[in-house]
Amino acid sequence: MNKKLLRIIQLIPIILSTVFTLIIIAQLLIDNRIELKEKIRNLRTEFNERQKQQIKNRVDTIYQQVSYERDRTENVLKADIKEKVYQAYDIAHAIYSDNTDKSAEDVHALIVTALKNIRFHHGRGYYFIYDLEGNNIMLPHHPDKEKTYLGDMQDSRGTYFIREFIALVKDKHEGFTKWWFYKPNNNNNNSVDDREKIGFLKHFEPYGWIIGSGEYVEDFEASVKKDLLHWISTIRFGNNGYMFVLDAQGVILAHQSNELITQDYGHYQTEAQVLEMFTTAKNNGGYVKYSSVYQPDNVQGPDKLSYVKWYPDWGWMMGSGVYVTAMEEYLQQKEQIIVKQNRKKLHALIGFSLALILVVGFLTYYLRKLVARRFAQFELKIESNFIKLKSANNAMSHMALHDPLTGLPNRASLDKFAQQILTGGNEKYMAIAFVDIDNFKYVNDLYGHTVGDELICAVSRRFEKILGTGDMVCRFGGDEFLFCFSGFNTQAEIATKVTKINDIFNTKMRCGEREIKSNCSVGVSVFPDDGQTLEVLIGKADVALYKAKGQGKGRLCLFEAEFDAQLKRQRAMKEELYKALERDEFELHYQPQVNAKNKQVISVEALCRWNSPVFGQVNPAEFITIAEKCGAIHALGLSVIKIACDEILSISPNGNGALELSINISPIQIIEPDFFTDIKRVVKATGIDSSRVTFELTESAAIDSILSLSPLFHELRQCGFGLSLDDFGTGFSSLSYLSDLPFNEIKIDRSFIDKFLDSDQSDALVKTIIAIGNSFNMTVVAEGVETQAQYDKLRHYNCDLLQGYFFAKPLRLNELTQYISRVAVVL
């Protein structure tokens, strides 16, 4: 019986090992096959989605460029006409200056001869001259009307436009004007066919002439369209990618193939295909499949997938696509690579399987000989394997409940820990603290993600040191942590405990070879007052954290019932803010900055205002903070810059004594990748001299981030822009901040001006700031001047510029013009 049992024991390992080996090999082969199919399926899905996104991005990019060119057409036309008239003025003035020995009639003839045959705008543009009585001096396209009185001439809409020319020049000496005319060669007298014309006029003082020129907006826009279509036709993407444009009638306006341009697309496609393409384009854009009329040499078939989008302002359909056969060829190449790699893996797997069978066979045969003698040893090995398995299970359980970077418990651990407290029937308080490291993005951007990870780990070690017996901290994700504190008898104990979180950041953190100073914002909710479940408590702690960050960096805030209403208002205001940008609801007020010596208005500071149809008049601090948080601050800032430059230029042309302009820029704007490029582009488009524009930067901005952009600030200064340090003395910068960045102006914060008449300390600070400005050759501006005594003392201290309610509150543009006129009369 024992021999039979021993034989059975000897055979069992052989049978079991053989069966399990075959099962493992079969499973490996099945998994290999499944893996191959999954890789090919994922390859096709990801590639198709990527291709669709690429062609959509192409069309969206060209669409945005076309929109931009259209939006700025009138400004470009104005700038061009103005430049042409200035050239004519310079020619006339040069002739006048060089011929002082000749009679006025001879000089008149020389000027007319010089200007009469000049043409521009593809031959459409010419110059005309009138005197201030309405008599025509030069009119190249109607020489029969020269030297005649045309003051009673009306345009196609009945306006005495020559009289308006005279009034404009007498009032402003130069400026833009509009009138309506039937285009040349148009014999239709129907007013519907007349066209708007934009002109620029300039007073030629020696003879009291009006020198001017004009252009049909429609013709200039047509030139812009032509240039854009030519540019679009030349765009290429990869080996066979290109853009195409069709008009509303299906005529091809732009295409890689010049032969197809001006052809009717409907001649090459069915009516249903054309209808589908236009319907898709007009319905917010989309993808269409069709057989392309154009097939590059390196493409095997005409089937194409394109993204099309409708541009309603010009009635264009823009699109771009990829050839299906080219996509399929690429996918087949990739599939062959995957199959080849999988085949190598399969061969290795088969070799491994054969080796495994041989090894198993040898081992089982050997075991059969030794099983009787070593049965006890196998028992020990089996027991050892179970111990290792248990250890592995424990390690996996630890990994499932802990953060891999910091070793802290994860959210699942916290849920389990907090649930035990919530369901334990304990009547004491429990607190959930939601912690976010402030400016953590700056650490990653400035020093790299490795240093960011080291900072997270350093903070985690410090967090562990403040934990008590009934406490836990977990890493919630990124730079966010959750604390669970329990066992409190009073809420005062909670506040004392949570304050220790902020205290951790009082000293710098060691991150490799660097020492980094940081801080955190904390939001706290309390059980049972703020909620009965963990999810509710975490949600309300998150709301409190949002409130804490809104109050500034390094703040701690306990949840209050009104926070929910405030958060709803902020979310609603965020949505309205984007709509306000689209509806141009923002307007600017201007506060004068006056010369301290003579009260002459030297500059103005542009201040943004928002009268929302939903919220009414919104405090600038509130909507600007929300714009910074939701990512709309860059668009808002560029809009303010454009409006301010346009409006100030409209009331004060470039030249000596022109009114200067100060514009605040948000620290959030500065870290935008295209911020510096965009502001230079926007200011240049308005036509205002860059030397008239000063950008104000608040001293309390993130210094490390600002200093890292020092070369770009120097580039701004080289372009002529001014750079002002606002609220000087209220931040934490040192004097090296002034030397590292090219500031040419500092502003004394109103908090010092409010107190410097009564406080020796504030008085000393004001004098010191003025002395600092003088030593750095900077202009010093004092804000918040509201009394005669403040004005007299600042003037005595030789402060350069003053602003405040003592002179004027922030004014609308028309009010500013009236104020400047009143001050000029008094002076």
Side-chain angles (χ1 to χ4, degrees):
M1 185 68 182
N2 291 335
K3 290 182 178 180
K4 290 182 179 180
L5 178 61
L6 180 60
R7 185 168 294 179
I8 292 172
I9 293 174
Q10 288 175 330
L11 291 175
I12 286 176
I14 297 174
I15 296 171
L16 291 178
S17 61
T18 302
V19 171
F20 280 120
T21 301
L22 292 175
I23 291 174
I24 291 172
I25 293 172
Q27 187 62 48
L28 290 173
L29 292 174
I30 293 172
D31 290 345
N32 177 267
R33 195 65 181 172
I34 294 174
E35 180 184 4
L36 174 62
K37 292 181 179 180
E38 185 68 21
K39 283 184 177 180
I40 292 176
R41 182 167 57 252
N42 291 341
L43 170 68
R44 286 187 169 273
T45 301
E46 293 174 3
F47 178 75
N48 289 334
E49 290 301 318
R50 187 165 63 250
Q51 288 290 300
K52 291 173 71 176
Q53 188 60 44
Q54 285 180 354
I55 60 177
K56 182 180 183 300
N57 291 341
R58 295 176 193 169
V59 175
D60 287 343
T61 299
I62 302 305
Y63 186 95
Q64 293 170 4
Q65 184 64 31
V66 169
S67 298
Y68 167 73
E69 294 295 338
R70 180 192 176 280
D71 292 343
R72 75 187 195 104
T73 296
E74 183 170 322
N75 286 336
V76 173
L77 173 58
K78 284 184 175 182
D80 186 67
I81 294 175
K82 182 178 179 180
E83 180 183 358
K84 293 293 189 300
V85 173
Y86 265 66
Q87 291 174 357
Y89 179 88
D90 291 341
I91 292 171
H93 200 278
I95 293 173
Y96 172 78
S97 301
D98 294 342
N99 294 277
T100 55
D101 57 332
K102 296 181 181 180
S103 66
E105 290 76 10
D106 291 341
V107 177
H108 289 185
L110 290 172
I111 294 174
V112 170
T113 300
L115 299 180
K116 192 167 188 177
N117 295 321
I118 295 177
R119 296 293 183 272
F120 40 89
H121 292 162
H122 303 290
R124 302 188 305 272
Y126 57 86
Y127 296 117
F128 56 77
I129 302 175
Y130 289 88
D131 64 18
L132 296 179
E133 303 300 325
N135 299 307
N136 181 265
I137 307 300
M138 184 184 79
L139 194 60
H141 72 298
H142 283 299
D144 55 308
K145 295 182 180 181
E146 294 180 350
K147 298 182 181 180
T148 61
Y149 174 73
L150 299 180
D152 294 331
M153 183 184 295
Q154 296 176 303
D155 68 1
S156 59
R157 298 194 175 186
T159 301
Y160 292 96
F161 64 99
I162 303 299
R163 298 179 186 178
E164 291 189 353
F165 288 0
I166 296 170
L168 187 151
V169 169
K170 284 183 177 180
D171 182 33
K172 297 183 178 179
H173 299 287
E174 65 176 48
F176 292 99
T177 185
K178 294 183 180 180
W179 66 97
W180 296 77
F181 258 137
Y182 302 110
K183 292 184 66 175
N185 302 322
N186 186 352
N187 296 322
N188 189 350
N189 292 325
N190 188 342
S191 62
V192 174
D193 293 327
D194 60 357
R195 296 293 185 267
E196 182 184 24
K197 201 167 187 178
I198 293 178
F200 184 79
L201 311 172
K202 186 169 180 61
H203 186 203
F204 186 66
E205 297 86 351
Y207 296 137
W209 284 357
I210 302 171
I211 299 178
S213 182
E215 170 67 312
Y216 287 100
V217 176
E218 180 183 63
D219 289 343
F220 192 80
E221 188 176 84
S223 298
V224 173
K225 288 181 180 178
K226 182 179 179 182
D227 292 340
L228 282 172
L229 290 171
H230 175 72
W231 170 67
I232 292 173
S233 297
T234 62
I235 294 173
R236 299 293 181 269
F237 306 102
N239 295 328
N240 48 48
Y242 59 89
M243 290 288 301
F244 60 84
V245 178
L246 279 65
D247 67 9
Q249 286 71 43
V251 176
I252 301 173
L253 303 179
H255 199 279
Q256 177 179 353
S257 174
N258 293 331
E259 297 177 356
L260 291 176
I261 296 176
T262 71
Q263 298 293 315
D264 187 346
Y265 186 70
H267 293 165
Y268 302 95
Q269 297 288 351
T270 65
E271 182 178 349
Q273 181 62 61
V274 175
L275 178 62
E276 179 189 3
M277 184 174 287
F278 275 89
T279 301
T280 302
K282 292 179 179 180
N283 189 21
N284 296 323
Y287 299 94
V288 292
K289 286 186 177 180
Y290 59 97
S291 180
S292 175
V293 302
Y294 173 74
Q295 182 177 330
D297 296 336
N298 60 342
V299 175
Q300 299 301 318
D303 292 341
K304 195 172 184 181
L305 172 68
S306 289
Y307 181 82
V308 292
K309 191 171 184 177
W310 183 251
Y311 185 66
D313 293 333
W314 284 346
W316 286 1
M317 180 179 70
M318 292 182 277
S320 181
V322 291
Y323 288 91
V324 175
T325 54
M327 293 172 60
E328 188 61 32
E329 288 175 3
Y330 175 83
L331 286 170
Q332 289 177 359
Q333 292 174 2
K334 290 295 184 181
E335 286 179 10
Q336 290 174 1
I337 293 173
I338 292 175
V339 170
K340 187 175 181 180
Q341 292 173 344
N342 185 266
R343 189 177 294 117
K344 289 182 179 179
K345 185 176 179 181
L346 182 60
H347 290 163
L349 183 61
I350 292 173
F352 169 77
S353 300
L354 293 175
L356 181 62
I357 291 174
L358 291 174
V359 171
V360 171
F362 174 77
L363 289 176
T364 53
Y365 176 79
Y366 185 72
L367 287 172
R368 182 184 177 188
K369 298 293 184 179
L370 300 178
V371 68
R373 292 180 301 168
R374 299 185 180 180
F375 188 83
Q377 294 179 4
F378 278 116
E379 273 190 322
L380 293 175
K381 288 185 178 181
I382 292 172
E383 184 178 355
S384 175
N385 288 336
F386 274 114
I387 293 173
K388 291 180 180 180
L389 180 61
K390 185 176 181 180
S391 177
N393 286 335
N394 291 337
M396 292 178 64
S397 298
H398 183 272
M399 291 174 60
L401 296 174
H402 290 79
D403 175 56
L405 174 63
T406 63
L408 292 178
N410 60 15
R411 169 66 189 277
S413 292
L414 184 75
D415 288 351
K416 184 177 180 181
F417 179 82
Q419 201 61 38
Q420 292 175 347
I421 299 173
L422 292 173
T423 58
N426 195 330
E427 297 182 356
K428 294 186 177 183
Y429 287 108
M430 183 187 82
I432 296 294
F434 208 139
V435 181
D436 180 88
I437 300 177
D438 296 328
N439 297 324
F440 182 72
K441 182 178 183 298
Y442 297 147
V443 175
N444 280 336
D445 292 343
L446 289 173
Y447 308 120
H449 289 275
T450 300
V451 175
D453 289 345
E454 291 174 351
L455 177 60
I456 291 292
C457 291
V459 169
S460 299
R461 302 291 77 79
R462 293 192 181 186
F463 281 165
E464 289 175 327
K465 293 180 180 180
I466 67 170
L467 297 178
T469 304
D471 304 334
M472 175 181 281
V473 60
C474 81
R475 186 183 180 205
F476 192 72
D479 62 334
E480 295 178 331
F481 297 83
L482 275 178
F483 280 86
C484 178
F485 297 122
S486 63
F488 298 111
N489 294 312
T490 65
Q491 292 201 4
E493 294 178 5
I494 296 175
T496 301
K497 184 75 172 182
V498 174
T499 303
K500 293 181 179 180
I501 299 176
N502 292 96
D503 294 341
I504 284 174
F505 294 86
N506 289 339
T507 58
K508 293 184 177 180
M509 305 278 183
R510 168 63 68 175
C511 300
E513 298 180 355
R514 301 179 183 275
E515 286 190 345
I516 297 177
K517 180 68 173 69
S518 184
N519 51 29
C520 71
S521 298
V522 184
V524 182
S525 63
V526 178
F527 168 84
D529 295 352
D530 299 328
Q532 301 293 320
T533 66
L534 181 61
E535 286 298 325
V536 172
L537 291 171
I538 292 176
K540 293 190 175 180
D542 190 20
V543 172
L545 173 63
Y546 185 85
K547 185 68 175 179
K549 295 181 76 68
Q551 296 172 350
K553 306 298 183 183
R555 300 300 180 94
L556 186 153
C557 185
L558 273 69
F559 178 81
E560 297 179 12
E562 63 267 20
F563 287 179
D564 280 331
Q566 294 174 1
L567 185 59
K568 289 179 181 178
R569 172 180 169 86
Q570 291 172 350
R571 289 172 177 167
M573 189 171 290
K574 171 184 172 182
E575 296 178 2
E576 280 300 311
L577 192 141
Y578 280 108
K579 296 177 183 178
L581 283 170
E582 296 175 358
R583 298 191 293 250
D584 295 327
E585 292 179 4
F586 295 98
E587 64 174 349
L588 298 185
H589 291 190
Y590 302 92
Q591 186 164 33
Q593 296 177 339
V594 304
N595 187 318
K597 295 180 180 179
N598 56 20
K599 295 186 180 180
Q600 180 181 357
V601 179
I602 301 298
S603 178
V604 294
E605 179 180 1
L607 302 170
C608 188
R609 298 291 185 263
W610 181 24
N611 187 7
S612 168
V614 176
F615 301 101
Q617 196 71 40
V618 185
N619 188 297
E622 182 179 10
F623 73 75
I624 289 175
T625 299
I626 292 175
E628 290 177 336
K629 291 179 178 178
C630 72
I633 190 63
H634 187 50
L636 176 59
L638 292 179
S639 175
V640 168
I641 293 172
K642 181 182 185 304
I643 294 172
C645 291
D646 281 337
E647 291 187 344
I648 295 304
L649 185 62
S650 70
I651 66 170
S652 177
N654 295 325
N656 293 332
L659 189 64
E660 298 181 5
L661 172 64
S662 289
I663 305 173
N664 290 283
I665 54 177
S666 164
I668 305 301
Q669 286 178 269
I670 296 171
I671 62 176
E672 286 285 335
D674 298 326
F675 169 70
F676 292 90
T677 302
D678 287 343
I679 61 173
K680 289 189 288 186
R681 170 180 54 78
V682 170
V683 173
K684 183 178 180 181
T686 65
I688 195 170
D689 285 344
S690 59
S691 60
R692 299 175 59 184
V693 181
T694 295
F695 293 110
E696 296 186 11
L697 175 66
T698 303
E699 186 188 7
S700 58
I703 295 174
D704 288 340
S705 298
I706 302 304
L707 291 178
S708 68
L709 301 174
S710 176
L712 297 176
F713 282 111
H714 281 279
E715 183 181 339
L716 274 186
R717 293 286 293 124
Q718 290 173 0
C719 292
F721 294 102
L723 191 61
S724 176
L725 182 57
D726 196 8
D727 299 339
F728 185 75
T730 61
F732 301 98
S733 64
S734 64
L735 291 180
S736 62
Y737 197 14
L738 294 179
S739 61
D740 289 336
L741 293 176
F743 290 107
N744 63 301
E745 177 183 284
I746 55 177
K747 299 187 74 173
I748 306 173
D749 186 65
R750 67 176 64 250
S751 62
F752 298 134
I753 302 302
D754 288 342
K755 298 181 290 185
F756 87 123
L757 292 178
D758 303 316
S759 169
D760 293 338
Q761 184 178 8
S762 294
D763 183 61
L765 283 171
V766 170
K767 287 194 289 186
T768 300
I769 293 172
I770 294 173
I772 290 172
N774 292 334
S775 65
F776 279 90
N777 293 321
M778 295 180 179
T779 300
V780 181
V781 184
E783 298 180 300
V785 180
E786 297 185 354
T787 67
Q788 180 70 43
Q790 290 174 340
Y791 166 70
D792 293 337
K793 197 165 189 178
L794 288 168
R795 181 180 180 184
H796 175 68
Y797 286 167
N798 292 321
C799 187
D800 299 307
L801 298 179
L802 310 175
Q803 72 179 87
Y805 276 43
F806 178 68
F807 306 102
K809 65 179 182 180
L811 305 170
R812 289 184 171 86
L813 187 66
N814 62 333
E815 297 172 336
L816 175 64
T817 305
Q818 297 170 4
Y819 174 79
I820 293 174
S821 299
R822 290 198 304 272
V823 172
V825 170
V826 172
L827 294 177

